[in-house]
Structures are given as C-alpha cells and as structure tokens.
Amino acid sequence: QSALTQPPSASGSPGQSVTISCAGTSSDIGGYDYVSWYQHHPGKAPKLIIYEVTKRPSGVPARFSGSKSGNAASLTVSGLQAEDEADYYCSSYAGGINFAVFGAGTRVTVL
Amino acid sequence: QLQLQESGAGLLRPSQTLSLTCTVSGGPITSGGYSWSWIRQPRGEGLEWVGYIYQSGTTYYNPSLKSRVILSIDKSNNQMALKLTSATAADTGVYYCVRVNLHMGRALDIWGQGTMVTVSS
C-alpha cells in the first residue's frame, strides 16, 4: 500500500486539461514543500517534471504545473497531447529516515 | 550529460543476494549537492525507494528493507552498488539507479534506464 494516494486513472481529449490529485499527511506533503512529480512511459526511465511543488526542470513544457494545499498536491496537464499518455507518480520528502514516499501512480489516457 | 547505467544479475534464486551496480558517466559521483539512490518497481506496482547514500558514505534505507540492504559508493570507479540479501519473489521488479538533487528539494532528477531482476526458483 502506497503512502500517498492517487487515482488509478485519468483521461482527457487532446487539447483538454487533466488534473491528478495526490493525498498525503502532515508528515509528508503537509510538512514540506518537497513534492515532486514523475512521468513514466513504460519501458523507459521515469522523468522528473515537477519539483518543490511548482517548479519545472529545464526542458519541461509549461503545460505541466503543480500545486499544493494542506496535505494534498496536484498535477495539471494543460493542452493534452498524445505524448502525455503515461503513468504519473507523485512523491514527497517525508523527513529523516523515511526520505521519500510515492503514490501508486495514475495512468493518463489521451482519448 | 550525466548518465546512469545499472548492471547486475537479472535472475536469482530465493535466498540469494541481489547485487547491482550503477555506473555514473559524464560527471563525477562526488559532485557536491547530490546523493544517490535506488528506486524499485515491483511488477505491476508503483515506485518504492530502497535507500540512498551520500558521498560521505552515510546511508538511509527503507525501514521495510533495512535489515537486508547495503549501499556503497566506489569513488575510484564512479559507481554505486546495491546488495539486498535473502532475496524473495517480492524483490522481483525493475531497479533504477537515481541521482538525488539536494538543490531541488531532493527531487530524483536523473534516472537510469532500469534493470529487471527476477527472483524465482
């Protein structure tokens, strides 16, 4: 059982937006601004797309945005494109020896 | 551009020791501001961190694996190693070598391609 809770699936048509939620606790998401999101195309290496809740690494399109409220975070993909079809994982620093906790992943389907 | 490459035995018998090596190319493993980690993904499941190691050698392990895991850094060969003793079928999955960026809120900013490990009799 994953420490963070994500919906198993989400979908949208090309050009639409999809938002993925990630629920945690005050010991992880709520306690630190160290939420990150990863995009994973099966068979490939996961890719960092959001770090420190809202920041995008160089090269990641502005269509990807992150936010946080209380013990929950979310990732929004605007202007969906076919290549956005992938699994998305949230993660949060959880302090001390726990280092990182992950969600179980959300499969995004572009209809 | 920094690249990570995992290597090691892909098939183990139960109770054997899982041994993997991560070779870092394109930059020194001793660069400041980073630590190194192993993340695994059991088949059909989500991501799970195994442990991470600082350049100093200080290690932190997933509490659920702590009694069986050893991480180490070989600075002369620019490598990180993972040993997981008493392997069981539950250890089957893809293992990723990952760089932890301490300047980016401990985000996992560079990943290896991953290596599949199967534990089966």
Side-chain angles (χ1 to χ4, degrees):
Chain A
Q1 185 175 358
S2 299
L4 305 179
T5 301
Q6 296 180 238
S9 63
S11 63
S13 299
Q16 289 186 331
S17 295
V18 65
T19 297
I20 302 167
S21 61
C22 175
T25 69
S26 58
S27 297
D28 37 66
I29 292 177
Y32 309 91
D33 286 333
Y34 289 156
V35 177
S36 52
W37 290 87
Y38 303 88
Q39 178 190 61
H40 188 202
H41 290 102
K44 295 190 175 182
K47 175 186 177 183
L48 174 68
I49 56 173
I50 295 288
Y51 68 99
E52 292 181 351
V53 182
T54 62
K55 299 176 181 178
R56 284 177 289 106
S58 174
V60 174
R63 305 186 290 105
F64 293 91
S65 62
S67 64
K68 185 185 104 167
S69 178
N71 297 335
S74 62
L75 171 74
T76 297
V77 186
S78 304
L80 268 174
Q81 299 182 4
E83 59 262 36
D84 298 333
E85 189 162 288
D87 297 322
Y88 292 83
Y89 293 90
C90 62
S91 178
S92 174
Y93 178 64
I97 63 172
N98 288 314
F99 178 51
V101 289
F102 290 95
T106 297
R107 174 68 57 91
V108 169
T109 301
V110 181
L111 302 171
Chain B
Q1 182 178 355
L2 200 79
Q3 293 186 321
L4 310 179
Q5 180 65 59
E6 304 90 345
S7 60
L11 179 62
L12 299 174
R13 303 298 186 196
S15 81
Q16 290 186 322
T17 295
L18 185 159
S19 294
L20 297 176
T21 298
C22 172
T23 300
V24 180
S25 59
I29 199 170
T30 52
S31 292
Y34 307 104
S35 63
W36 305 89
S37 182
W38 289 94
I39 304 293
R40 70 181 185 177
Q41 184 172 29
R43 195 189 303 271
E45 298 184 24
L47 301 172
E48 178 186 38
W49 80 278
V50 175
Y52 71 104
I53 183 168
Y54 286 97
Q55 298 164 29
S56 63
T58 300
T59 53
Y60 294 91
Y61 301 129
N62 186 319
S64 68
L65 302 171
K66 183 178 180 180
S67 63
R68 300 193 292 128
V69 177
I70 298 176
L71 298 190
S72 60
I73 280 186
D74 181 348
K75 297 178 183 179
S76 60
N77 288 309
N78 230 33
Q79 294 177 329
M80 172 179 61
L82 162 69
K83 290 190 185 300
L84 181 64
T85 62
S86 304
T88 70
D91 296 315
T92 293
V94 179
Y95 285 72
Y96 296 98
C97 171
V98 185
R99 189 179 79 170
V100 183
N101 193 320
L102 304 179
H103 302 299
M104 294 170 67
R106 297 172 175 82
L108 311 175
D109 67 339
I110 297 179
W111 295 64
Q113 287 294 315
T115 187
M116 180 68 201
V117 176
T118 302
V119 182
S120 175
S121 55

